[in-house]
Amino acid sequence: MSDTLRQRPGTPDDYATLLDLWERSVIATHDFLEEADRLFYKEQIPQYFGQVSLLLWYDQERLIGFSGTHGQDLEMLFLEPAAIGHGYGNAILQWLVNHADIQRIDVNR
């Protein structure tokens, strides 16, 4: 999998696709969020895309997730629900630590 994992910078043209991915990922993983909270954050997330170094992550040609970093902080990492549990998150995190000097992670719980 790591041999086929690649990334590219995100652009404003990607925001709608990433917002859809974000929502699917949050529904699958953030069971502590009420629907009203998710809808609130869904309105806010697009403005944060422009405030981070956004990378879209692919396994071959399939978009599997995205990350957003700011300085040495990983601010967001969201995966397609079907990609969760297959080592992608770990591979992305390792790449970010080794190549983007990530030292801290923001975790929601």
Side-chain angles (χ1 to χ4, degrees), residues 9 13 18-19 24-25 32-33 39 57 59 74 81-82 93 100 109:
D13 290 339
L18 297 183
L19 187 60
R24 288 190 303 279
S25 184
F32 54 89
L33 277 183
L39 294 173
W57 293 90
D59 185 352
L74 176 60
L93 182 57
R109 182 89 175 126

Side-chain angles (χ1 to χ4, degrees), residues 19-91:
L19 187 60
D20 288 341
L21 189 157
W22 173 87
E23 186 168 36
R24 288 190 303 279
S25 184
V26 166
I27 288 170
T29 61
H30 290 58
D31 57 0
F32 54 89
L33 277 183
E34 299 291 330
E35 182 179 7
D37 296 325
R38 180 179 48 80
L39 294 173
F40 170 79
Y41 289 119
K42 185 177 179 180
E43 293 288 323
Q44 305 302 310
I45 289 293
Q47 70 184 338
Y48 295 122
F49 287 154
Q51 297 177 19
V52 296
S53 295
L54 195 59
L55 291 175
L56 281 65
W57 293 90
Y58 293 85
D59 185 352
Q60 298 185 28
E61 298 303 315
R62 180 175 63 114
L63 178 64
I64 53 129
F66 68 91
S67 62
T69 60
H70 184 265
Q72 294 182 318
D73 297 330
L74 176 60
E75 300 288 345
M76 50 180 79
L77 176 58
F78 292 93
L79 299 176
E80 283 287 359
I84 295 170
H86 297 281
Y88 292 111
N90 186 52

Side-chain angles (χ1 to χ4, degrees), residues 91-106:
I92 292 167
L93 182 57
Q94 288 301 316
W95 188 95
L96 291 168
V97 166
N98 293 329
H99 296 87
D101 196 30
I102 294 304
Q103 302 292 314
R104 291 174 297 276
I105 300 171
D106 180 23

